[in-house]
Amino acid sequence: MKIVLIGYMASGKSTVGKELSKKIYIPFIDLDNFIEEGEGKSVSKIFEENGEIYFRKKEHEYLKQLLDSEDNFVLSLGGGTPCYAGNMDMVLNSDTTSIYLKASLKTLYNRLQKQKATRPLVASISDEKLSEFIAKHLFERRFYYEKANFNLKIDDKKVSDIITELRILLH
Ligand code: S3P
């Protein structure tokens, strides 16, 4: 079984993915970490030294490699992954179940405000501008996110509740 978790930065893809993987005994892979291992440097360093276009190219290649493999996994994508290089269609045409972890602007703002430093796309954006940035970004990106096999609202839900709902969807 291949499960793909989709959503904006800070929507909980990795936290939920790790927890789900433990519960259903399928290995967890975080695409950003997979890219970091393959490239030998952090996503922030790749953005800084090679630029975003290079990152998007590599992101596509590593995603393809995983989708083409025989392995089972719970895979959390990066927030931008579905929106570039035909990646969302590639996911939809593969033998996977995809789920969009759908968070409101308010939830994303509250979480991202605290976690900006580790995220190159928002690291230099002031708190005043952050909400508008996320709103615009979400407007562009949800077109791709909402193509996922399932859309699951996660606002105000505990991780354990999200896992329960996911397991029902996957049944
Ligand atoms: C990105 C999200 C990040 C990472 C990169 C770009 C984006 O992943 O892939 O910084 O374009 O939204 P997370 O969603 O895991 O933070």
Side-chain angles (χ1 to χ4, degrees):
M1 188 185 230
K2 288 185 169 74
I3 299 163
V4 179
L5 298 179
I6 287 165
Y8 199 70
M9 284 177 273
S11 58
K13 301 176 297 277
S14 303
T15 309
V16 169
K18 272 182 209 153
E19 212 45 42
L20 178 67
S21 123
K22 275 193 228 153
K23 287 278 184 308
I24 61 176
Y25 305 103
I26 293 181
F28 171 71
I29 303 173
D30 178 294
L31 184 61
D32 281 339
N33 291 345
F34 192 73
I35 297 170
E36 289 177 336
E37 277 162 28
E39 295 294 296
K41 54 178 144 174
S42 70
V43 168
S44 296
K45 268 266 170 280
I46 301 175
F47 266 73
E48 197 183 307
E49 291 176 2
N50 310 89
E52 181 170 356
I53 293 172
Y54 176 88
F55 173 76
R56 296 300 175 195
K57 189 165 169 276
K58 288 292 155 192
E59 181 179 48
H60 175 76
E61 289 170 10
Y62 286 107
L63 174 63
K64 184 168 183 340
Q65 182 187 328
L66 289 168
L67 295 177
D68 287 347
S69 75
E70 295 296 314
D71 305 342
N72 289 328
F73 51 68
V74 176
L75 173 67
S76 69
L77 301 187
T81 318
C83 318
Y84 293 90
N87 291 338
M88 194 61 212
D89 286 336
M90 190 163 78
V91 169
L92 291 171
N93 290 326
S94 65
D95 187 16
T96 58
T97 303
S98 53
I99 301 131
Y100 168 29
L101 301 182
K102 189 170 186 165
S104 67
L105 176 59
K106 187 167 162 247
T107 300
L108 295 172
Y109 174 79
N110 287 338
R111 291 184 184 180
L112 272 175
Q113 197 193 12
K114 293 178 204 135
Q115 309 172 4
K116 278 197 307 196
T118 53
R119 303 183 191 262
L121 284 181
V122 292
S124 61
I125 297 178
S126 66
D127 284 353
E128 296 75 49
K129 299 218 170 112
L130 185 62
S131 183
E132 193 191 338
F133 176 88
I134 301 169
K136 281 193 184 154
H137 227 181
L138 264 187
F139 182 73
E140 292 161 8
R141 289 181 166 192
R142 42 185 275 225
F143 168 76
Y144 299 94
Y145 295 160
E146 288 176 355
K147 288 185 179 183
N149 298 132
F150 298 103
N151 286 203
L152 181 66
K153 285 195 179 163
I154 56 99
D155 294 308
D156 304 320
K157 288 181 187 165
K158 288 189 286 189
V159 173
S160 56
D161 296 335
I162 299 172
I163 302 297
T164 306
E165 291 189 35
L166 280 175
R167 294 187 73 179
I168 294 168
L169 286 180
L170 293 167
H171 205 67

